Amino acid sequence: MKHLLSVDDLGSRAEIEEMLDLTESFVEVTRREIPKVPALRGRVIVSLFYEDSTRTRLSFETAAKRLSADVMTFSVSTSSVRKGESLRDTVQTIEAMGVHGIVVRHGAAGAAHRVASWSQASVINAGDGRHEHPTQALLDAFTLRTHRGPSLDGCRVAIVGDIRNSRVARSDVKIFHTLGCQLTLVGPPTLMPERLDGWPVRVAHDLDDVLADVDVVYMLRIQRERISQALFPSEREYAHRYGLNAQRMARCKPDTLVMHPGPMNRGVEISGEVADSARSLITEQVTNGVAVRMAVLWKLLGSGGPIV
Amino acid sequence: MPVRPARTNLSDSPAEPALRTRVFDAADLRRAVTRIAHEIVERNHGADDVVLVGMYTRGVALAQRIVAAIASFETVAVPLGTLDVAFYRDDIGLRPVAPLGPTEVPDISGHVVVLVDDVLFTGRTARAALDALTELGRPRAVQLAVLVDRGHRELPIRADYVGKNLPTKIAEDVRVRFAEVDGGADAVELWSSAGSTSPERAGET
């Protein structure tokens, strides 16, 4: 595997499960007193983030450093991008300095694919527009498996919120479906994709109808900008119709789990009480993100990676 | 001097690997394990301060057998750890490398660690294991126990406890079988690799 641009690059169900099993080795490393191995010593990894992100960028940088790779951060706000330098020139400048891996987050769908075409390095898509966020999907699948067991066959997952604008939803639908889950997308019609042909999902517009029959409720962040686009009337109404609060949790089965990619709008799509409850996997998702990204970096640059 | 015609291989494809010698059968292997267990206890003046760490995959099975052997003649249960050295190897990026099992090592600081592996060859795996151990604690000493030392060291590494010294050619293959890992009976076998069975190559190392 040379690049991770989309969940499709992870391969078949067996290959995805192999990647998730590989992640266990890295979880063990992160629990050591000295959580570092020399596996990627001498490799250079650049994180190229055109969009703000705290957790994803830090997660990748931590993962790279735990593998003893050298990490450079390209932060758009202090770069020549402000002088009008194009993405292509930026990539070629980085390339000229010698780089083995590039982690890209960009507002345009397909940006990571373009970077891969301009560079010899391995490219990881950390989010491209509304398109995909494959490492988020991996860490979500990994986290769920630690609770539900290695097989997710028949696991019923509801993804709730702004599906239309969510790259997390698109990647999660792919990975959860491949691993055997049954998927339901829930949200107001204005926040659903224009067309869902070929998506292996059911759609519901009433969250309360769905709650009693699911094993996992996956909440997406609602962006306040969507209010000004008149996609829903107000935050309060959204929270009332689609927010996961304690009363709604009481309608779920006692072992239903709660997930969220973060960052959360407490009180809007999810109440603080639910976010902090024992059934919430949210902090584990973040913790597992480092180990998952270590596994991805290892797979691309270490084990079967290009001969250096 | 008569001129000998040049020998030609009957086919261009390499010969299949073939068994040359059975070095150990199950009984030999059991005796070697018992002897190594006694030597470890003797060298360390008892088994109280010793921790055995087996390297995946067959080093773990061997370490388990040594622990069992020690328990049969000393009243000590020697702690056992398992070590995967994938992330410490020096050939990452040169060939596919994958972790083989979970690393679970008990407290080693201040103790004598005996690293256990089935075959000692170039010494690179042992070197990787030393690096791994250094990050997991500070042992008082590290010793190395192997079932077979087949020579051809590429690093200044030597074993403290050896089941069998077996000079080999580089192209040969030492195959260790443990019943619990490979099925069948325990054995240590020497196999010739592809292409090394033709007579004119017998002099190569």
Side-chain angles (χ1 to χ4, degrees):
Chain A
M1 192 167 89
K2 163 94 175 158
H3 303 295
L4 180 57
L5 305 172
S6 139
V7 169
D8 302 328
D9 295 329
L10 294 169
S12 65
R13 175 174 179 163
E15 288 170 302
I16 294 176
E17 288 176 338
E18 202 184 298
M19 177 74 95
L20 295 174
D21 292 336
L22 176 63
T23 302
E24 294 283 357
S25 300
F26 294 101
V27 170
E28 183 271 312
V29 172
T30 62
R31 290 196 184 138
R32 296 184 189 176
E33 207 171 309
I34 304 177
K36 199 164 165 132
V37 291
L40 293 187
R41 194 167 44 93
R43 306 285 196 275
V44 178
I45 294 170
V46 173
S47 65
L48 185 56
F49 274 59
Y50 278 75
E51 282 186 341
D52 285 336
S53 153
T54 315
R55 79 195 60 228
T56 307
R57 188 169 59 77
L58 283 182
S59 186
F60 268 110
E61 290 181 8
T62 304
K65 287 182 176 178
R66 294 231 165 111
L67 294 168
S68 302
D70 296 322
V71 179
M72 284 169 347
T73 307
F74 179 94
S75 162
V76 172
S77 57
T78 55
S79 79
S80 298
V81 170
R82 296 186 62 199
K83 299 182 200 166
E85 188 175 24
S86 69
L87 177 61
R88 182 174 193 165
D89 285 333
T90 301
V91 171
Q92 290 182 331
T93 305
I94 293 170
E95 180 91 343
M97 292 192 272
V99 63
H100 303 99
I102 304 180
V103 179
V104 190
R105 171 173 282 193
H106 196 282
H113 287 74
R114 297 297 273 153
V115 171
S117 71
W118 295 323
S119 171
Q120 306 276 33
S122 283
V123 178
I124 300 176
N125 181 8
D128 60 335
R130 301 186 202 165
H131 177 226
E132 284 224 36
H133 192 355
T135 57
Q136 179 73 43
L138 271 172
L139 74 88
D140 288 338
F142 181 81
T143 306
L144 189 52
R145 258 172 135 224
T146 59
H147 288 267
R148 297 273 309 187
S151 169
L152 294 179
D153 269 317
C155 182
R156 295 163 302 173
V157 180
I159 304 180
V160 183
D162 185 358
I163 312 286
R164 186 189 185 103
N165 294 302
S166 173
R167 55 187 169 222
V168 169
R170 284 176 176 78
S171 288
D172 272 334
V173 164
K174 283 186 179 179
I175 210 173
F176 283 138
H177 172 70
T178 307
L179 293 174
C181 300
Q182 286 174 25
L183 294 159
T184 307
L185 302 183
V186 184
T190 49
L191 293 179
M192 284 290 164
E194 292 88 349
R195 299 182 62 165
L196 282 159
D197 311 358
W199 286 52
V201 299
R202 292 189 309 127
V203 177
H205 299 299
D206 189 325
L207 180 57
D208 294 308
D209 282 346
V210 164
L211 287 173
D213 301 317
V214 294
D215 304 304
V216 182
V217 186
Y218 193 110
M219 306 305 296
L220 296 173
R221 183 173 70 94
I222 201 70
Q223 290 173 287
R224 292 181 162 87
E225 304 87 272
R226 307 297 170 210
I227 302 173
S228 60
Q229 292 162 16
L231 294 172
F232 57 85
S234 68
E235 259 178 30
R236 208 180 75 162
E237 174 136 358
Y238 183 84
H240 177 67
R241 298 282 306 277
Y242 296 99
L244 191 61
N245 51 33
Q247 295 104 297
R248 289 212 158 95
M249 279 311 294
R251 275 189 224 122
C252 297
K253 298 184 296 118
D255 60 352
T256 297
L257 300 166
V258 176
M259 300 177 75
H260 191 302
M264 295 183 278
N265 291 320
R266 286 169 181 261
V268 184
E269 74 267 3
I270 189 167
S271 74
E273 191 183 342
V274 171
D276 300 331
S277 75
R279 291 196 269 167
S280 154
L281 306 185
I282 299 171
T283 36
E284 279 176 53
Q285 286 172 268
V286 176
T287 309
N288 290 332
V290 176
V292 161
R293 288 167 176 129
M294 287 172 80
V296 170
L297 287 169
W298 165 261
K299 193 85 178 148
L300 293 181
L301 299 177
S303 62
I307 293 176
V308 173
Chain B
M1 285 275 277
V3 175
R4 291 179 184 278
R7 287 182 189 269
T8 51
N9 280 333
L10 291 174
S11 71
D12 283 328
S13 60
E16 287 294 305
L19 175 64
R20 289 168 68 98
T21 331
R22 167 150 300 176
V23 177
F24 273 0
D25 63 14
D28 296 322
L29 202 148
R30 181 177 42 78
R31 290 181 199 114
V33 168
T34 306
R35 175 174 55 79
I36 291 172
H38 278 280
E39 285 180 351
I40 290 173
V41 173
E42 183 185 29
R43 179 97 54 102
N44 293 298
H45 308 288
D48 294 314
D49 205 22
V50 172
V51 177
L52 253 56
V53 176
M55 291 151 57
Y56 284 104
T57 306
R58 292 179 184 80
V60 172
L62 181 56
Q64 283 166 342
R65 291 182 181 216
I66 297 174
V67 166
I70 294 177
S72 71
F73 59 80
E74 297 274 322
T75 54
V76 181
V78 172
L80 174 65
T82 60
L83 183 64
D84 187 287
V85 300
F87 305 138
Y88 295 85
R89 292 174 62 124
D90 61 9
D91 56 358
I92 293 168
L94 296 177
R95 62 167 63 99
V97 170
L100 300 170
T103 293
E104 284 159 355
V105 172
D107 183 31
I108 56 173
S109 292
H111 295 290
V112 173
V113 171
V114 180
L115 278 172
V116 182
D117 205 1
D118 55 342
V119 178
L120 176 59
F121 185 24
T122 60
R124 292 180 187 272
T125 307
R127 195 273 325 152
L130 282 172
D131 279 357
L133 276 184
T134 312
E135 289 193 350
L136 295 169
R138 188 179 186 279
R140 179 155 63 80
V142 181
Q143 298 163 357
L144 177 63
V146 298
L147 189 60
V148 176
D149 179 346
R150 64 169 291 197
H152 301 289
R153 214 76 72 239
E154 293 175 1
L155 295 174
I157 299 260
R158 56 127 184 80
D160 297 277
Y161 312 100
V162 181
K164 172 87 179 170
N165 278 299
L166 183 64
T168 58
K169 303 188 188 70
I170 295 214
E172 288 173 335
D173 204 9
V174 174
R175 299 190 188 182
V176 174
R177 283 214 313 267
F178 285 115
E180 62 269 35
V181 175
D182 308 284
D186 296 341
V188 176
E189 294 167 353
L190 181 65
W191 285 63
S192 63
S193 266
S196 64
T197 50
S198 51
E200 76 254 33
R201 303 221 185 138
E204 287 180 5
T205 44

